[in-house]
Amino acid sequence: MSEPNDIIYGVHPVAEALKNPKRKIYSLKASKNAADRLAAEIEASGIAAEIVHPKELDKRLGDEAVHQGLLMEAKPLNQPRLDQIEKSGIVVLLDQVTDPHNVGAILRTCAAFNVTALVATARHSPDASAVLFKSASGAYEHVPFVKVTNLSRAMAELKDYGFRILGLDSDAPEDISAVDRAPPVAIVMGAEGKGLRELTRKSCDHLVRLDMNGPIRSLNVSNACAVALYAMTR
């Protein structure tokens, strides 16, 4: 049984998919204004856009979807196994982060900081959905998104490749700036509320925190990822 097509909407996700040579695109529906806006990308891709009224996209996607006049159907991308990623740079791991908005935002941050790969478990993580693509704002086309069966085993495998594993924890004894952050290095982000699971914590080489001086010491997981990656690349 074949996988369902990826449903991609919005200017940035569609534009990046059009520019991705690994994408097999089946169809592109666009309003006249949206087609004009992405005329160069559409022409370069060789895809013929079907011009439609925006209300047709509203009917297909629902009133809540900010489609910006663009709707693409494409074959799902082939994602690498953990042993197929580059054994360098920074890897981000997610410990049961399930909200597609958060994971999409984390993908966008990973693309901004040139992260080697984003790793999550096949269970307790969101599917590649239209909401995730929109939240990632095109980053899904650039960051390998690796799904693994067991996170602690994936962490052990990364250690075998020479990665040090940092776990982000607001109660950790060390600030992230105090530990060796030279690549190859991986950082694990826990789910909001629950944080890192006990086995995940034990599998880390260091538990680190982000020092913040304000009255609220916790951040949304996607914001925490952005701050952590900034600290790791300074």
Side-chain angles (χ1 to χ4, degrees):
M1 185 174 173
S2 60
E3 291 184 81
N5 294 342
D6 281 348
I7 304 300
I8 304 170
Y9 61 77
V11 170
H12 294 299
V14 168
E16 294 306 312
L18 286 168
K19 292 185 286 186
N20 186 356
K22 296 179 181 178
R23 270 291 183 190
K24 180 176 176 59
I25 299 168
Y26 296 128
S27 68
L28 175 62
K29 297 180 187 292
S31 68
K32 178 63 167 61
N33 288 341
D36 289 344
R37 182 174 180 179
L38 293 186
E41 289 87 347
I42 293 171
E43 181 179 1
S45 73
I47 300 299
E50 178 187 351
I51 304 302
V52 299
H53 194 281
K55 287 185 178 179
E56 183 174 329
L57 304 185
D58 292 339
K59 290 179 184 177
R60 173 72 190 278
L61 296 168
D63 293 336
E64 299 300 315
V66 185
H67 54 69
Q68 299 172 292
L70 292 159
L71 170 61
M72 174 186 286
E73 289 196 37
K75 183 179 180 180
L77 289 176
N78 291 322
Q79 297 290 6
R81 302 188 309 266
L82 190 61
D83 64 329
Q84 295 173 321
I85 68 169
E86 292 183 22
K87 311 303 190 295
S88 60
I90 298 173
V91 168
V92 174
L93 301 101
L94 302 181
D95 189 11
Q96 297 193 345
V97 179
T98 58
D99 186 328
H101 295 92
N102 278 333
V103 176
I106 287 169
L107 273 166
R108 187 175 182 177
T109 296
C110 287
F113 286 97
N114 200 31
V115 164
T116 299
L118 179 65
V119 179
T121 53
R123 295 180 62 193
H124 306 296
S125 68
D127 294 328
S129 67
V131 172
L132 187 149
F133 297 141
K134 185 66 169 68
S135 299
S137 195
Y140 189 84
E141 309 298 320
H142 300 285
V143 180
F145 190 11
V146 180
K147 294 292 185 75
V148 297
T149 302
N150 182 286
L151 192 67
S152 62
R153 284 203 293 268
M155 293 166 71
E157 185 174 341
L158 286 171
K159 289 181 183 181
D160 288 341
Y161 301 147
F163 284 81
R164 285 182 320 286
I165 312 289
L166 310 181
L168 195 65
D169 186 321
S170 59
D171 295 321
E174 295 180 286
D175 179 69
I176 194 169
S177 63
V179 302
D180 183 3
R181 304 179 303 285
V185 63
I187 186 160
V188 193
M189 314 293 302
E192 289 187 60
K194 295 187 294 184
L196 299 177
R197 291 173 295 164
E198 186 60 28
L199 182 57
T200 305
R201 291 167 59 89
K202 289 179 179 177
S203 300
C204 293
D205 294 309
H206 296 279
L207 293 175
V208 296
R209 66 178 188 274
L210 298 172
D211 272 344
M212 292 173 284
N213 297 323
I216 295 177
R217 295 179 56 240
S218 63
L219 294 172
N220 167 284
V221 64
S222 62
N223 292 332
C225 182
V227 176
L229 288 176
Y230 181 83
M232 291 172 71
T233 53
R234 297 279 68 78

